[in-house]
Amino acid sequence: MHEEVKTFLDQSLAQKQAPRPPGASLSKAAANLAGLETVEKDHGRLETRRYYQSSELDWFADLGKWEGLRSVGMVEARRELKGKITVERRYYLSSLPLDVALFARAVRGHWGVENKLHWVLDVCFREDQSRARAGYAAENLATLRRLALNLLRREKTKKRGIKGKQLNASWNHAYLLRLLGI
């Protein structure tokens, strides 16, 4: 499926960007491929993101298996850091209608949430250091970490960060019981 989406979007974009003789027409897929570009300069890095979205789905063999599928999209991220340029493309299935600005916000929002959650889990719970690999151990520990994170975030009596609340719970048995709702 990934290859099918990738091929469709890559070919539609290539056709849209290719020079054509006067009067030559584009395919419906290329003509209806919506695009948006954003540029961000932060932390010594220049990042240009090009978002593309299409609601043309006639070509998608598994369309019937994806209830609510309304569009497919691609993000091409070009990063320049210390003279080194990297380009990465990511492909998406989406329930969003054809609105490339909305698609761009959804993609950025998803990665923002994902990065924020991962950062907290890594910094406060050292998730990346976990070496649990056997059976369901990694999955079970990840569930427990998220449960603990939710309990710590829900607790509002202490005006401390997650790490501070963890320390309080380890020092103060009554506080730990309050966190657990016991």
Side-chain angles (χ1 to χ4, degrees):
M1 169 187 29
H2 175 266
E3 200 56 43
E4 192 177 2
V5 172
K6 179 182 183 310
T7 299
F8 169 76
L9 288 168
D10 288 349
Q11 287 177 351
S12 297
L13 181 60
Q15 184 185 17
K16 188 171 187 136
Q17 292 177 335
R20 36 185 199 285
S25 62
L26 289 172
S27 69
K28 185 177 175 185
N32 293 330
L33 186 66
L36 173 74
E37 181 176 289
T38 63
V39 179
E40 291 179 17
K41 188 171 184 173
D42 200 11
H43 304 290
R45 156 181 89 221
L46 177 65
E47 185 158 5
T48 304
R49 288 185 197 88
R50 292 185 182 97
Y51 299 87
Y52 300 98
Q53 186 187 25
S54 175
S55 60
E56 299 295 325
L57 300 173
D58 304 342
W59 54 271
F60 191 41
D62 292 333
L63 183 58
K65 295 178 183 177
W66 291 87
E67 185 179 334
L69 180 65
R70 295 176 71 188
S71 63
V72 291
M74 172 180 64
V75 178
E76 182 180 82
R78 181 183 185 274
R79 290 179 198 87
E80 186 174 342
L81 179 64
K82 297 179 183 174
K84 183 181 176 195
I85 296 173
T86 58
V87 178
E88 175 185 43
R89 283 186 174 177
R90 296 181 301 276
Y91 301 86
Y92 298 87
L93 299 176
S94 175
S95 60
L96 294 173
L98 185 63
D99 180 343
V100 74
L102 178 62
F103 170 70
R105 283 193 309 275
V107 169
R108 293 292 292 157
H110 167 78
W111 285 105
V113 168
E114 190 72 23
N115 289 338
K116 182 180 177 186
L117 174 65
H118 179 74
W119 184 85
V120 170
L121 289 170
D122 189 32
V123 170
C124 296
F125 293 91
R126 300 184 58 201
E127 188 172 59
D128 286 350
Q129 303 303 313
S130 176
R131 296 295 167 237
R133 302 281 187 268
Y136 292 101
E139 190 175 331
N140 291 339
L141 288 171
T143 300
L144 288 172
R145 284 186 205 100
R146 282 167 180 75
L147 173 68
L149 179 60
N150 287 332
L151 290 172
L152 292 165
R153 282 186 171 161
R154 190 180 71 182
E155 204 287 313
K156 302 292 183 198
T157 62
K158 298 280 185 191
K159 299 294 181 197
R160 300 191 70 184
I162 298 299
K163 199 73 168 160
K165 290 178 182 180
Q166 281 179 293
L167 288 171
N168 276 356
S170 69
W171 296 331
N172 183 334
H173 190 72
Y175 180 70
L176 173 61
L177 292 176
R178 187 170 54 232
L179 276 174
L180 296 173
I182 299 174

